[in-house]
Amino acid sequence: QVQLVESGGGLVQPGGSLRLSCAASGIAFGIWTMGWYRQAPGKERELVALITSGGSTNYPDSVKGRFTISRDNAKKTVYLQMNTVKPEDMAVYYCNAEYKFLLYWGQGTQVTVSS
């Protein structure tokens, strides 16, 4: 059974930092592309960061330079370091695992940005 369990969400002030974690089980983690997506109320789910099995990363312009995705294959965990957080970053953040035609999602973790 594949499970992706996010943690680390919560309340952060504008300009602050937060680190999200996603622990995977049931997959050969090292060969999967891992991603973070987010969905704000009334908006579509959007890509936040992606990291391939080889360590290549991809970010949309909205978070480039502020967010960093990383992975620890030994711990089967992917991280999202969020720095200089903005109010528009507030959303539910979802972990994603993708390999060929297979796709799995975590249950999401809420990130609230407020002073």
Side-chain angles (χ1 to χ4, degrees):
Q1 182 182 0
V2 178
Q3 280 193 315
L4 300 175
V5 180
E6 301 100 333
S7 60
L11 177 64
V12 59
Q13 293 185 345
S17 297
L18 203 63
R19 189 175 85 152
L20 307 182
S21 300
C22 171
S25 60
I27 59 173
F29 184 81
I31 66 173
W32 288 65
T33 292
M34 302 299 297
W36 286 97
Y37 290 71
R38 67 187 180 190
Q39 187 167 21
K43 294 188 176 182
E44 292 188 355
R45 193 172 296 189
E46 62 176 359
L47 173 69
V48 175
L50 204 65
I51 185 166
T52 68
S53 58
S56 298
T57 57
N58 186 35
Y59 306 92
D61 289 342
S62 58
V63 306
K64 196 173 293 183
R66 300 189 298 120
F67 290 8
T68 302
I69 189 171
S70 61
R71 64 191 298 160
D72 185 331
N73 289 341
K75 294 183 178 180
K76 294 188 175 183
T77 301
V78 61
Y79 305 96
L80 183 68
Q81 179 65 44
M82 305 168 60
N83 296 330
T84 320
V85 172
K86 301 177 180 180
E88 53 262 42
D89 295 323
M90 186 164 68
V92 178
Y93 282 70
Y94 296 91
C95 177
N96 163 281
E98 183 175 353
Y99 179 71
K100 294 186 178 180
F101 58 88
L102 298 173
L103 188 66
Y104 296 102
W105 292 93
Q107 81 288 349
T109 186
Q110 175 71 48
V111 172
T112 300
V113 183
S114 175
S115 56

